[in-house]
Amino acid sequence: MTTDEQRATPLTPVLSRYWDAPRSWTLETYRAHAGYRALPKALRMQPDEVIATVKDSGLRGRGGAGFPTGMKWGFIPQDDPAKPHYLVVNADESEPGTCKDIPLMLATPHTLIEGIIIAAYAIRAAHAFVYLRGEVLPVLRRMQYAVDEAYAAGYLGHDILGSGYDLDLIVHAGAGAYICGEETALLDSLEGRRGQPRLRPPFPAVAGLYACPTVVNNVESIASVPAILRNGVDWFRTMGSEKSPGFTLYSLSGHVTTPGQYEAPLGITLRELLGYAGGMRAGHELKFWTPGGSSTPLFTAEHLDVPLDYEGVGAAGSMLGTKALQCFDDTTCVARAVLRWTEFYAHESCGKCTPCREGTYWLVQLLQRLEAGRGTEADLDKLLDIADNINGKSFCALGDGAASPIVSSLKYFRDEYVDHLRQGGCPFDPARSTVWA
Ligand code: NAI
Ligand code: SF4
């Protein structure tokens, strides 16, 4: 395989275009890079025209589920003037391996703010919120700094750019619970309650924040909107595929020579992305990877050429999710990686439903035993049985996500689990693995 073959699809830096520029986060730098040029254009359009443009672009939610963004905006009912509409940006990024929204907010917070103003105008909201992880204080400060700059420049507040449109934007710090990234738990938390998922339907578009029509969108989805408005739908559709158009941020991590965020068209392959990232670290081979964070079924080296879009990854038996490509090489014990993820899900389970609350606990117990080389082969089937009782039977997607690495690791690496039992311990020398260092 030549380098040219590895890099057949070019990178398309749009969101990340000037992340390395000096003081990239300031209003001055944003304006110097065509910032806030989409906003006056949007404000001259009717709100429904803005929604139609985003619908036509085919932009799909970048938070994991890939739901069409314009369609979600179009769900907001317009027939009850007594109920305000809200826009809530889900900036609670916490899926293991996912590291795109936080760099985006640190590097170019105004991209997100311009997208928020356009989206809020389109859905006729006068209040918008950014729900951000409270632990990442530098990001919180940077967002607030940018919001203050935007108010001072007349992009937020009363009569934005003389259009007659008013919008207030609040940056809200969450308290660091993975479940608060689930959109309805996030809304509960924003309302001041303990964050636990609500029953859907009704979806937030009908009854969200304070039981009013609410759009909840991911940071990257909203930040993509100004470029679409500025450059047009046809431009956006020159990238990606018919059903998964556009550019997106892939997070490469693990045993990769140059980990980081790579912005490319949907449909690029991991083989191509590794071509840009310098491949796996010297002297080692790719063993397994996650296409969309640890909630998505694992892939192996045989999936290097799967197109990384919603259809391609789905057809190959996984999900594109958050596009968090965690790559593990031949020194990694798969049982140990799966145990680590499962401990995370057990810890973060909110406890509302029995399959997830009890199931994740028992998965950890069994995995701890297996990884230490104790237990029996029957435990492997027990793992699958518990995963089956969680998957599709839990109240929210956290349960399904916890079952994914169990089922897929047993599909591809059952022999490695059995080796633990035969050898009475982990066949991998932990000292050689850098993953857990
Ligand atoms: P979902 O498919 O149930 O919903 C996606 C979005 O579409 C939601 O905003 C929902 O309100 C909306 N929607 C769906 N059907 C609708 C309808 N009929 N009417 C109105 N609105 C509708 O997915 P969910 O449970 O919201 O998210 C799961 C995804 O989250 C997973 O795929 C996972 O990849 C991702 N995830 C992301 C994390 C992160 O850190 N970014 C963390 C954990 C999971
Ligand atoms: Fe809570 Fe887990 Fe049930 Fe989701 S699946 S509601 S996180 S217990």
Side-chain angles (χ1 to χ4, degrees), residues 179 197 348-353 356-357 394-396 398-399:
I179 194 56
E348 295 295 336
S349 167
C350 81
K352 179 166 180 157
C353 71
C356 168
R357 183 189 62 240
S394 300
F395 195 77
C396 82
L398 189 149

Side-chain angles (χ1 to χ4, degrees), residues 7 9-14 250 261-265 268 272-273 276-277:
R7 297 181 171 190
T9 307
L11 296 179
T12 47
V14 177
Y250 295 93
Q261 295 77 30
Y262 290 83
E263 195 173 1
I268 196 170
E272 290 172 312
L273 283 169
Y276 287 105

Side-chain angles (χ1 to χ4, degrees), residues 62-68 72 75 90 92-96 98 100-101 178 181-183 200 203-206 216-218 292 295-296 319-322 396-397:
R62 304 299 197 225
F67 195 84
K72 198 190 274 189
F75 284 150
N90 186 343
D92 200 52
E93 175 169 74
S94 41
E95 172 70 0
T98 312
K100 62 186 183 69
D101 296 338
Y178 175 69
E182 196 284 334
E183 61 176 5
R200 297 183 310 179
F203 287 93
V206 174
V216 184
N217 274 150
N218 168 259
S295 299
T296 58
M319 290 181 299
L320 187 61
T322 59
C396 82

